[in-house]
């Protein structure tokens, strides 16, 4: 099998892509015989350079199996095939690739769009696959029009070099809007709109969910690092005292905001509110001191144990903890 980095990364991504039920049902009668051929090809260390040679070693029945499994209309004429067309014949659907970067994957004599375009950023690929896997066959087929590469069509019609279009989030968003709100005489059926909407909702859920998760992870890592740094610098007792003080200030501010909302912010009322807030903070401080006095009677706090408990409770990453422990 080809070992180029771009191809291997694509294979890794495509492991998560699920073929349509219709495609799997079509291939089912030929699947077992195809796997025998596929395994032979792997044993022969099949590559672009020797794929045609390997095809010449197969029997007419085996070539028919490849033809049927791949869904080709005509019998396979090995001598007319390109190296890419020969190689992709020997691969599963999710392993086929556009090696010459002309916008299509040659499979035998056929030229086909890849199920997941190469020219997508990785985060878009991942969300796209997640969305497509969630759709019915009908919705999946309809949604594929969103990634129809017009640059390839322009290349063929105008006999120009093919220049890939970057199919990022903005590109897909534009395609979706063009189909949902067609202009200049264009038309999209209600059924197609429903399929595209189903895809777009699923895509956004996956894409934005992954972005949110990554952002939260970075934010949490920063929070944990700060927590551990403070814990190491101040010591557990002082850290907890500062933490409680921050909580008191927050509660006092919330109490003050509530009083202003209830009583108004006239000068007379503000003087009254300031006094009430001061009394409130005094009460909270007394409660905190009583709590700390009681804690002194119990087992002393161990900084490492405290850090581990909090990290485990919040399901944080362990890297910041490891950094702290390296300092202790």
């Amino acid at each position: 099998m080809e070992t180029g980095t771009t191809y291997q990364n694509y294979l890794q991504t495509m492991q998560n892509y699920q073929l349509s039920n219709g495609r799997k049902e079509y291939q089912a009668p030929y699947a077992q015989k195809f796997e025998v051929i596929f395994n032979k090809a792997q044993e022969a260390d099949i590559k672009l350079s020797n794929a045609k040679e390997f095809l010449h070693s197969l029997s007419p029945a085996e070539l028919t199996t490849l033809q049927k499994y791949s869904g080709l209309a005509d019998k396979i004429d090995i001598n007319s095939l390109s190296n890419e067309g020969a190689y992709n014949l020997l691969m599963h659907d999710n392993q086929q690739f556009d090696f010459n970067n002309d916008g299509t994957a040659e499979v035998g004599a056929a030229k086909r769009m890849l199920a997941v375009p190469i020219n997508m950023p990785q985060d878009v690929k991942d969300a796209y696959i997640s969305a497509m896997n969630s759709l019915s066959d009908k919705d999946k087929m309809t949604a594929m029009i969103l990634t129809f590469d017009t640059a390839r069509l322009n290349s063929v019609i105008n006999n120009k070099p093919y220049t890939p279009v970057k199919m990022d989030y903005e590109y897909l968003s534009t395609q979706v809007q063009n189909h949902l709100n067609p202009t200049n005489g264009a038309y999209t059926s209600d059924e197609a709109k429903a399929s595209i909407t189903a895809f777009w909702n699923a895509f956004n859920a996956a894409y934005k969910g992954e972005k949110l998760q990554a952002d939260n992870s970075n934010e949490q890592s920063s929070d944990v690092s700060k927590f551990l740094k403070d814990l190491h610098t101040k010591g557990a007792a002082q850290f907890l005292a500062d933490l409680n003080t921050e909580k008191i200030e927050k509660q006092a501010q919330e109490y003050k905001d509530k009083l202003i909302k209830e009583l108004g912010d006239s000068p007379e009322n503000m003087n009254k509110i300031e006094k009430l807030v001061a009394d409130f903070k005094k009460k909270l401080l007394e409660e905190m001191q009583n709590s700390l006095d009681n804690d002194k009677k119990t087992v002393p706090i161990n900084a490492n144990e405290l850090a581990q408990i909090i990290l485990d409770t919040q399901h944080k990453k362990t890297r910041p903890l490891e950094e702290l422990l390296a300092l202790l």
Side-chain angles (χ1 to χ4, degrees):
M1 182 177 285
E2 287 292 326
T3 58
T5 301
T6 301
Y7 179 53
Q8 287 298 318
N9 289 341
Y10 186 75
L11 293 187
Q12 185 70 28
T13 298
M14 290 301 292
Q15 287 181 1
N16 299 319
Y17 184 80
Q18 299 171 9
L19 297 179
S20 68
N21 292 325
R23 180 65 171 169
K24 287 186 285 189
E25 289 172 3
Y26 168 79
Q27 290 180 327
Y30 320 106
Q32 186 173 357
K33 291 182 179 180
F34 174 81
E35 291 302 327
V36 173
I37 299 170
F38 175 78
N39 290 333
K40 286 171 61 176
Q42 297 310 297
E43 291 173 2
D45 192 22
I46 208 69
K47 288 184 171 56
L48 289 168
S49 59
N50 63 356
K52 290 178 71 172
E53 179 183 351
F54 179 82
L55 288 176
H56 276 298
S57 72
L58 299 180
S59 68
E62 289 174 316
L63 291 175
T64 298
T65 294
L66 294 180
Q67 175 198 345
K68 297 296 184 182
Y69 185 81
S70 299
L72 300 177
D74 299 321
K75 290 184 178 180
I76 295 171
D77 178 4
I78 300 173
N79 293 326
S80 69
L81 301 181
S82 66
N83 289 342
E84 180 181 302
Y87 179 89
N88 283 334
L89 263 180
L90 297 164
M91 297 293 121
H92 299 94
D93 288 8
N94 287 359
Q95 297 170 323
Q96 294 165 358
F97 195 68
D98 175 16
F99 289 98
N100 63 1
N101 196 34
D102 67 350
T104 59
E106 296 176 49
V107 183
K111 293 179 180 288
R112 296 175 176 170
M113 287 176 54
L114 291 172
V116 178
I118 301 172
N119 44 322
M120 272 184 175
Q122 189 60 47
D123 57 347
V124 176
K125 276 195 186 87
D126 293 339
Y128 182 82
I129 289 173
S130 176
M132 295 296 267
N133 287 348
S134 73
L135 301 179
S136 66
D137 282 7
K138 175 179 72 67
D139 288 344
K140 181 180 289 189
M141 292 300 295
T142 303
M144 289 183 72
I145 65 175
L146 300 172
T147 56
F148 179 76
D149 194 346
T150 55
R152 166 65 183 170
L153 186 62
N154 181 60
S155 172
V156 173
I157 293 175
N158 298 308
N159 193 29
K160 294 181 178 180
Y162 170 68
T163 303
V165 174
K166 184 179 180 181
M167 297 187 182
D168 55 13
Y169 183 91
E170 287 71 22
Y171 177 89
L172 286 179
S173 179
T174 299
Q175 292 299 308
V176 168
Q177 296 309 315
N178 288 344
H179 283 86
L180 295 182
N181 304 291
T183 58
N184 300 324
Y187 172 77
T188 305
S189 69
D190 290 341
E191 188 176 23
K193 287 182 179 180
S195 295
I196 291 171
T197 299
F199 162 79
W200 194 232
N201 288 340
F203 175 85
N204 272 307
Y207 184 79
K208 294 182 179 179
E210 291 170 358
K211 290 292 184 186
L212 181 61
Q213 184 178 18
D215 291 344
N216 286 344
S217 176
N218 292 335
E219 182 179 347
Q220 289 175 355
S221 180
S222 176
D223 290 343
V224 172
S225 296
K226 181 180 183 303
F227 156 75
L228 293 173
K229 181 180 178 181
D230 289 346
L231 182 62
H232 173 66
T233 303
K234 302 175 180 178
Q238 184 60 47
F239 174 81
L240 288 177
D242 290 348
L243 186 63
N244 281 327
T245 300
E246 290 177 8
K247 289 181 179 179
I248 288 174
E249 292 296 334
K250 181 179 179 182
Q251 288 179 289
Q253 185 60 49
E254 291 173 351
Y255 181 59
K256 181 177 180 179
D257 293 341
K258 179 183 177 183
L259 290 175
I260 292 174
K261 186 175 180 181
E262 292 177 352
L263 303 176
D265 58 357
S266 67
E268 181 181 352
N269 285 336
M270 286 304 297
N271 288 333
K272 182 178 179 181
I273 288 171
E274 291 297 340
K275 184 177 184 306
L276 291 172
V277 171
D279 290 341
F280 180 71
K281 288 176 65 174
K282 181 179 179 182
K283 180 180 178 183
L284 292 178
L285 285 167
E286 289 173 351
E287 291 176 353
M288 182 192 79
Q289 188 60 52
N290 290 334
S291 176
L292 291 175
D293 289 343
N294 290 333
D295 286 341
K296 291 176 182 179
K297 300 173 184 178
T298 61
V299 179
I301 298 172
N302 179 282
N304 294 0
E305 293 175 356
L306 176 62
Q308 186 64 61
I309 290 171
I310 293 178
L311 291 175
D312 288 345
T313 300
Q314 298 182 359
H315 302 286
K316 304 292 188 183
K317 294 182 180 179
T318 59
R319 180 173 175 79
L321 177 61
E322 294 169 356
E323 294 174 355
L324 174 69
L325 296 180
L327 298 173
L328 299 178

